[in-house]
PDB file of all heavy atoms in Angstrom:
ATOM      1  N   VAL D 857      34.070  18.542 -21.489  1.00  0.00           N
ATOM      2  CA  VAL D 857      35.242  18.806 -22.319  1.00  0.00           C
ATOM      3  C   VAL D 857      35.220  18.139 -23.701  1.00  0.00           C
ATOM      4  O   VAL D 857      35.663  18.759 -24.673  1.00  0.00           O
ATOM      5  CB  VAL D 857      36.508  18.270 -21.608  1.00  0.00           C
ATOM      6  CG1 VAL D 857      37.743  18.302 -22.523  1.00  0.00           C
ATOM      7  CG2 VAL D 857      36.836  19.221 -20.357  1.00  0.00           C
ATOM      8  N   GLN D 858      34.528  17.006 -23.736  1.00  0.00           N
ATOM      9  CA  GLN D 858      34.474  16.231 -25.021  1.00  0.00           C
ATOM     10  C   GLN D 858      33.683  16.986 -26.156  1.00  0.00           C
ATOM     11  O   GLN D 858      34.227  17.124 -27.241  1.00  0.00           O
ATOM     12  CB  GLN D 858      33.933  14.872 -24.779  1.00  0.00           C
ATOM     13  CG  GLN D 858      34.645  14.000 -23.742  1.00  0.00           C
ATOM     14  CD  GLN D 858      34.047  12.719 -23.480  1.00  0.00           C
ATOM     15  OE1 GLN D 858      33.406  12.105 -24.315  1.00  0.00           O
ATOM     16  NE2 GLN D 858      34.306  12.221 -22.268  1.00  0.00           N
ATOM     17  N   PRO D 859      32.551  17.473 -25.936  1.00  0.00           N
ATOM     18  CA  PRO D 859      31.840  18.197 -26.987  1.00  0.00           C
ATOM     19  C   PRO D 859      32.607  19.541 -27.294  1.00  0.00           C
ATOM     20  O   PRO D 859      32.534  19.985 -28.402  1.00  0.00           O
ATOM     21  CB  PRO D 859      30.462  18.443 -26.453  1.00  0.00           C
ATOM     22  CG  PRO D 859      30.498  18.285 -25.004  1.00  0.00           C
ATOM     23  CD  PRO D 859      31.615  17.256 -24.784  1.00  0.00           C
ATOM     24  N   ILE D 860      33.246  20.176 -26.247  1.00  0.00           N
ATOM     25  CA  ILE D 860      33.907  21.455 -26.453  1.00  0.00           C
ATOM     26  C   ILE D 860      35.158  21.158 -27.419  1.00  0.00           C
ATOM     27  O   ILE D 860      35.366  21.896 -28.403  1.00  0.00           O
ATOM     28  CB  ILE D 860      34.420  21.986 -25.168  1.00  0.00           C
ATOM     29  CG1 ILE D 860      33.166  22.537 -24.327  1.00  0.00           C
ATOM     30  CG2 ILE D 860      35.380  23.123 -25.483  1.00  0.00           C
ATOM     31  CD1 ILE D 860      33.579  23.110 -23.023  1.00  0.00           C
ATOM     32  N   ASP D 861      35.842  20.015 -27.236  1.00  0.00           N
ATOM     33  CA  ASP D 861      36.983  19.655 -28.037  1.00  0.00           C
ATOM     34  C   ASP D 861      36.550  19.345 -29.523  1.00  0.00           C
ATOM     35  O   ASP D 861      37.218  19.636 -30.362  1.00  0.00           O
ATOM     36  CB  ASP D 861      37.686  18.442 -27.470  1.00  0.00           C
ATOM     37  CG  ASP D 861      38.503  18.784 -26.216  1.00  0.00           C
ATOM     38  OD1 ASP D 861      38.738  19.956 -25.972  1.00  0.00           O
ATOM     39  OD2 ASP D 861      38.799  17.843 -25.441  1.00  0.00           O
ATOM     40  N   PHE D 862      35.306  18.832 -29.585  1.00  0.00           N
ATOM     41  CA  PHE D 862      34.772  18.573 -31.004  1.00  0.00           C
ATOM     42  C   PHE D 862      34.690  19.766 -31.799  1.00  0.00           C
ATOM     43  O   PHE D 862      35.129  19.853 -32.997  1.00  0.00           O
ATOM     44  CB  PHE D 862      33.485  17.836 -30.847  1.00  0.00           C
ATOM     45  CG  PHE D 862      32.688  17.709 -32.182  1.00  0.00           C
ATOM     46  CD1 PHE D 862      33.073  16.667 -33.035  1.00  0.00           C
ATOM     47  CD2 PHE D 862      31.813  18.604 -32.652  1.00  0.00           C
ATOM     48  CE1 PHE D 862      32.501  16.511 -34.270  1.00  0.00           C
ATOM     49  CE2 PHE D 862      31.174  18.502 -33.926  1.00  0.00           C
ATOM     50  CZ  PHE D 862      31.529  17.368 -34.705  1.00  0.00           C
ATOM     51  N   PHE D 863      34.170  20.789 -31.198  1.00  0.00           N
ATOM     52  CA  PHE D 863      34.019  22.136 -31.863  1.00  0.00           C
ATOM     53  C   PHE D 863      35.370  22.858 -31.977  1.00  0.00           C
ATOM     54  O   PHE D 863      35.647  23.591 -33.019  1.00  0.00           O
ATOM     55  CB  PHE D 863      32.974  23.051 -31.205  1.00  0.00           C
ATOM     56  CG  PHE D 863      31.618  22.578 -31.425  1.00  0.00           C
ATOM     57  CD1 PHE D 863      30.951  21.845 -30.343  1.00  0.00           C
ATOM     58  CD2 PHE D 863      30.878  22.768 -32.507  1.00  0.00           C
ATOM     59  CE1 PHE D 863      29.596  21.453 -30.555  1.00  0.00           C
ATOM     60  CE2 PHE D 863      29.627  22.298 -32.751  1.00  0.00           C
ATOM     61  CZ  PHE D 863      28.895  21.653 -31.715  1.00  0.00           C
ATOM     62  N   LYS D 864      36.242  22.704 -31.004  1.00  0.00           N
ATOM     63  CA  LYS D 864      37.458  23.311 -31.053  1.00  0.00           C
ATOM     64  C   LYS D 864      38.389  22.865 -32.150  1.00  0.00           C
ATOM     65  O   LYS D 864      39.128  23.769 -32.736  1.00  0.00           O
ATOM     66  CB  LYS D 864      38.208  23.054 -29.726  1.00  0.00           C
ATOM     67  CG  LYS D 864      39.544  23.828 -29.530  1.00  0.00           C
ATOM     68  CD  LYS D 864      40.250  23.431 -28.209  1.00  0.00           C
ATOM     69  CE  LYS D 864      39.424  23.693 -26.991  1.00  0.00           C
ATOM     70  NZ  LYS D 864      40.171  23.370 -25.741  1.00  0.00           N
ATOM     71  N   PHE D 865      38.234  21.673 -32.565  1.00  0.00           N
ATOM     72  CA  PHE D 865      39.119  21.079 -33.637  1.00  0.00           C
ATOM     73  C   PHE D 865      38.433  21.062 -34.971  1.00  0.00           C
ATOM     74  O   PHE D 865      38.981  20.350 -35.838  1.00  0.00           O
ATOM     75  CB  PHE D 865      39.656  19.703 -33.152  1.00  0.00           C
ATOM     76  CG  PHE D 865      40.556  19.767 -31.980  1.00  0.00           C
ATOM     77  CD1 PHE D 865      40.139  19.317 -30.746  1.00  0.00           C
ATOM     78  CD2 PHE D 865      41.854  20.302 -32.032  1.00  0.00           C
ATOM     79  CE1 PHE D 865      40.962  19.322 -29.631  1.00  0.00           C
ATOM     80  CE2 PHE D 865      42.664  20.262 -30.977  1.00  0.00           C
ATOM     81  CZ  PHE D 865      42.268  19.831 -29.718  1.00  0.00           C
ATOM     82  N   LEU D 866      37.411  21.717 -35.099  1.00  0.00           N
ATOM     83  CA  LEU D 866      36.811  21.764 -36.510  1.00  0.00           C
ATOM     84  C   LEU D 866      37.628  22.579 -37.399  1.00  0.00           C
ATOM     85  O   LEU D 866      38.258  23.620 -37.004  1.00  0.00           O
ATOM     86  CB  LEU D 866      35.404  22.479 -36.378  1.00  0.00           C
ATOM     87  CG  LEU D 866      34.243  21.595 -35.826  1.00  0.00           C
ATOM     88  CD1 LEU D 866      32.990  22.496 -35.785  1.00  0.00           C
ATOM     89  CD2 LEU D 866      33.988  20.445 -36.686  1.00  0.00           C
ATOM     90  N   ARG D 867      37.748  22.114 -38.655  1.00  0.00           N
ATOM     91  CA  ARG D 867      38.635  22.819 -39.579  1.00  0.00           C
ATOM     92  C   ARG D 867      37.853  24.068 -40.114  1.00  0.00           C
ATOM     93  O   ARG D 867      36.724  24.094 -40.193  1.00  0.00           O
ATOM     94  CB  ARG D 867      38.901  21.811 -40.764  1.00  0.00           C
ATOM     95  CG  ARG D 867      39.694  20.612 -40.377  1.00  0.00           C
ATOM     96  CD  ARG D 867      39.925  19.676 -41.515  1.00  0.00           C
ATOM     97  NE  ARG D 867      40.741  18.553 -41.161  1.00  0.00           N
ATOM     98  CZ  ARG D 867      40.978  17.500 -42.030  1.00  0.00           C
ATOM     99  NH1 ARG D 867      40.564  17.614 -43.271  1.00  0.00           N
ATOM    100  NH2 ARG D 867      41.704  16.458 -41.597  1.00  0.00           N
ATOM    101  N   PRO D 868      38.623  25.020 -40.605  1.00  0.00           N
ATOM    102  CA  PRO D 868      37.951  26.240 -41.179  1.00  0.00           C
ATOM    103  C   PRO D 868      37.026  25.901 -42.301  1.00  0.00           C
ATOM    104  O   PRO D 868      35.920  26.533 -42.444  1.00  0.00           O
ATOM    105  CB  PRO D 868      39.120  27.084 -41.661  1.00  0.00           C
ATOM    106  CG  PRO D 868      40.305  26.635 -40.769  1.00  0.00           C
ATOM    107  CD  PRO D 868      40.090  25.198 -40.511  1.00  0.00           C
ATOM    108  N   SER D 869      37.425  24.935 -43.108  1.00  0.00           N
ATOM    109  CA  SER D 869      36.455  24.539 -44.241  1.00  0.00           C
ATOM    110  C   SER D 869      35.110  23.967 -43.754  1.00  0.00           C
ATOM    111  O   SER D 869      34.136  24.216 -44.264  1.00  0.00           O
ATOM    112  CB  SER D 869      37.218  23.526 -45.174  1.00  0.00           C
ATOM    113  OG  SER D 869      37.558  22.338 -44.379  1.00  0.00           O
ATOM    114  N   GLN D 870      35.205  23.184 -42.696  1.00  0.00           N
ATOM    115  CA  GLN D 870      33.993  22.531 -42.068  1.00  0.00           C
ATOM    116  C   GLN D 870      33.134  23.665 -41.470  1.00  0.00           C
ATOM    117  O   GLN D 870      31.907  23.724 -41.623  1.00  0.00           O
ATOM    118  CB  GLN D 870      34.314  21.614 -41.013  1.00  0.00           C
ATOM    119  CG  GLN D 870      35.095  20.381 -41.482  1.00  0.00           C
ATOM    120  CD  GLN D 870      35.634  19.479 -40.407  1.00  0.00           C
ATOM    121  OE1 GLN D 870      36.074  19.919 -39.387  1.00  0.00           O
ATOM    122  NE2 GLN D 870      35.505  18.193 -40.664  1.00  0.00           N
ATOM    123  N   ILE D 871      33.700  24.686 -40.807  1.00  0.00           N
ATOM    124  CA  ILE D 871      32.919  25.796 -40.268  1.00  0.00           C
ATOM    125  C   ILE D 871      32.294  26.603 -41.462  1.00  0.00           C
ATOM    126  O   ILE D 871      31.181  27.046 -41.334  1.00  0.00           O
ATOM    127  CB  ILE D 871      33.848  26.672 -39.448  1.00  0.00           C
ATOM    128  CG1 ILE D 871      34.468  25.929 -38.193  1.00  0.00           C
ATOM    129  CG2 ILE D 871      33.080  27.946 -38.890  1.00  0.00           C
ATOM    130  CD1 ILE D 871      35.431  26.604 -37.343  1.00  0.00           C
ATOM    131  N   ALA D 872      33.121  26.763 -42.450  1.00  0.00           N
ATOM    132  CA  ALA D 872      32.592  27.616 -43.631  1.00  0.00           C
ATOM    133  C   ALA D 872      31.384  26.965 -44.262  1.00  0.00           C
ATOM    134  O   ALA D 872      30.379  27.521 -44.613  1.00  0.00           O
ATOM    135  CB  ALA D 872      33.723  27.850 -44.625  1.00  0.00           C
ATOM    136  N   PHE D 873      31.503  25.611 -44.431  1.00  0.00           N
ATOM    137  CA  PHE D 873      30.392  24.854 -45.060  1.00  0.00           C
ATOM    138  C   PHE D 873      29.053  24.894 -44.132  1.00  0.00           C
ATOM    139  O   PHE D 873      27.995  25.027 -44.698  1.00  0.00           O
ATOM    140  CB  PHE D 873      30.770  23.422 -45.290  1.00  0.00           C
ATOM    141  CG  PHE D 873      31.429  23.215 -46.535  1.00  0.00           C
ATOM    142  CD1 PHE D 873      32.721  22.575 -46.534  1.00  0.00           C
ATOM    143  CD2 PHE D 873      30.971  23.491 -47.777  1.00  0.00           C
ATOM    144  CE1 PHE D 873      33.499  22.367 -47.679  1.00  0.00           C
ATOM    145  CE2 PHE D 873      31.643  23.310 -48.892  1.00  0.00           C
ATOM    146  CZ  PHE D 873      32.923  22.764 -48.937  1.00  0.00           C
ATOM    147  N   ALA D 874      29.283  24.902 -42.825  1.00  0.00           N
ATOM    148  CA  ALA D 874      28.212  24.932 -41.888  1.00  0.00           C
ATOM    149  C   ALA D 874      27.465  26.302 -41.961  1.00  0.00           C
ATOM    150  O   ALA D 874      26.336  26.424 -42.032  1.00  0.00           O
ATOM    151  CB  ALA D 874      28.690  24.633 -40.501  1.00  0.00           C
ATOM    152  N   VAL D 875      28.282  27.396 -42.028  1.00  0.00           N
ATOM    153  CA  VAL D 875      27.754  28.683 -42.067  1.00  0.00           C
ATOM    154  C   VAL D 875      27.103  28.881 -43.429  1.00  0.00           C
ATOM    155  O   VAL D 875      26.010  29.518 -43.497  1.00  0.00           O
ATOM    156  CB  VAL D 875      28.897  29.723 -41.919  1.00  0.00           C
ATOM    157  CG1 VAL D 875      28.366  31.164 -42.134  1.00  0.00           C
ATOM    158  CG2 VAL D 875      29.454  29.675 -40.544  1.00  0.00           C
ATOM    159  N   LEU D 876      27.640  28.410 -44.482  1.00  0.00           N
ATOM    160  CA  LEU D 876      27.039  28.523 -45.822  1.00  0.00           C
ATOM    161  C   LEU D 876      25.758  27.830 -45.935  1.00  0.00           C
ATOM    162  O   LEU D 876      24.745  28.376 -46.450  1.00  0.00           O
ATOM    163  CB  LEU D 876      28.033  27.963 -46.872  1.00  0.00           C
ATOM    164  CG  LEU D 876      27.561  28.052 -48.423  1.00  0.00           C
ATOM    165  CD1 LEU D 876      27.449  29.521 -48.684  1.00  0.00           C
ATOM    166  CD2 LEU D 876      28.575  27.386 -49.287  1.00  0.00           C
ATOM    167  N   GLY D 877      25.682  26.602 -45.307  1.00  0.00           N
ATOM    168  CA  GLY D 877      24.416  25.873 -45.370  1.00  0.00           C
ATOM    169  C   GLY D 877      23.322  26.574 -44.559  1.00  0.00           C
ATOM    170  O   GLY D 877      22.245  26.568 -44.983  1.00  0.00           O
ATOM    171  N   LEU D 878      23.685  27.106 -43.376  1.00  0.00           N
ATOM    172  CA  LEU D 878      22.760  27.809 -42.500  1.00  0.00           C
ATOM    173  C   LEU D 878      22.164  29.027 -43.277  1.00  0.00           C
ATOM    174  O   LEU D 878      20.980  29.358 -43.233  1.00  0.00           O
ATOM    175  CB  LEU D 878      23.337  28.115 -41.189  1.00  0.00           C
ATOM    176  CG  LEU D 878      22.485  28.911 -40.247  1.00  0.00           C
ATOM    177  CD1 LEU D 878      21.237  27.913 -39.856  1.00  0.00           C
ATOM    178  CD2 LEU D 878      23.268  29.215 -38.972  1.00  0.00           C
ATOM    179  N   THR D 879      23.091  29.731 -43.898  1.00  0.00           N
ATOM    180  CA  THR D 879      22.705  31.013 -44.634  1.00  0.00           C
ATOM    181  C   THR D 879      21.775  30.646 -45.774  1.00  0.00           C
ATOM    182  O   THR D 879      20.853  31.336 -46.007  1.00  0.00           O
ATOM    183  CB  THR D 879      23.936  31.703 -45.101  1.00  0.00           C
ATOM    184  OG1 THR D 879      24.818  31.925 -44.042  1.00  0.00           O
ATOM    185  CG2 THR D 879      23.637  33.032 -45.777  1.00  0.00           C
ATOM    186  N   GLY D 880      22.134  29.643 -46.494  1.00  0.00           N
ATOM    187  CA  GLY D 880      21.322  29.175 -47.589  1.00  0.00           C
ATOM    188  C   GLY D 880      19.890  28.763 -47.128  1.00  0.00           C
ATOM    189  O   GLY D 880      18.833  29.159 -47.789  1.00  0.00           O
ATOM    190  N   ALA D 881      19.855  28.029 -46.052  1.00  0.00           N
ATOM    191  CA  ALA D 881      18.528  27.653 -45.542  1.00  0.00           C
ATOM    192  C   ALA D 881      17.654  28.803 -45.099  1.00  0.00           C
ATOM    193  O   ALA D 881      16.506  28.838 -45.357  1.00  0.00           O
ATOM    194  CB  ALA D 881      18.679  26.593 -44.352  1.00  0.00           C
ATOM    195  N   VAL D 882      18.274  29.801 -44.438  1.00  0.00           N
ATOM    196  CA  VAL D 882      17.545  30.989 -44.024  1.00  0.00           C
ATOM    197  C   VAL D 882      17.059  31.759 -45.298  1.00  0.00           C
ATOM    198  O   VAL D 882      15.884  32.319 -45.330  1.00  0.00           O
ATOM    199  CB  VAL D 882      18.421  31.923 -43.132  1.00  0.00           C
ATOM    200  CG1 VAL D 882      17.782  33.205 -42.826  1.00  0.00           C
ATOM    201  CG2 VAL D 882      18.620  31.198 -41.842  1.00  0.00           C
ATOM    202  N   ALA D 883      17.933  31.861 -46.315  1.00  0.00           N
ATOM    203  CA  ALA D 883      17.521  32.613 -47.514  1.00  0.00           C
ATOM    204  C   ALA D 883      16.380  31.935 -48.237  1.00  0.00           C
ATOM    205  O   ALA D 883      15.471  32.522 -48.672  1.00  0.00           O
ATOM    206  CB  ALA D 883      18.694  32.652 -48.448  1.00  0.00           C
ATOM    207  N   VAL D 884      16.343  30.555 -48.218  1.00  0.00           N
ATOM    208  CA  VAL D 884      15.201  29.839 -48.978  1.00  0.00           C
ATOM    209  C   VAL D 884      14.006  30.098 -48.161  1.00  0.00           C
ATOM    210  O   VAL D 884      12.889  30.338 -48.746  1.00  0.00           O
ATOM    211  CB  VAL D 884      15.589  28.336 -49.055  1.00  0.00           C
ATOM    212  CG1 VAL D 884      14.370  27.549 -49.427  1.00  0.00           C
ATOM    213  CG2 VAL D 884      16.748  28.070 -50.007  1.00  0.00           C
TER     214      VAL D 884
END
Side-chain angles (χ1 to χ4, degrees):
V857 167
Q858 299 177 31
I860 291 177
D861 285 344
F862 173 80
F863 290 102
K864 185 187 298 184
F865 293 107
L866 285 177
R867 297 177 180 177
S869 59
Q870 295 171 322
I871 298 174
F873 277 121
V875 173
L876 183 62
L878 181 61
T879 304
V882 172
V884 169

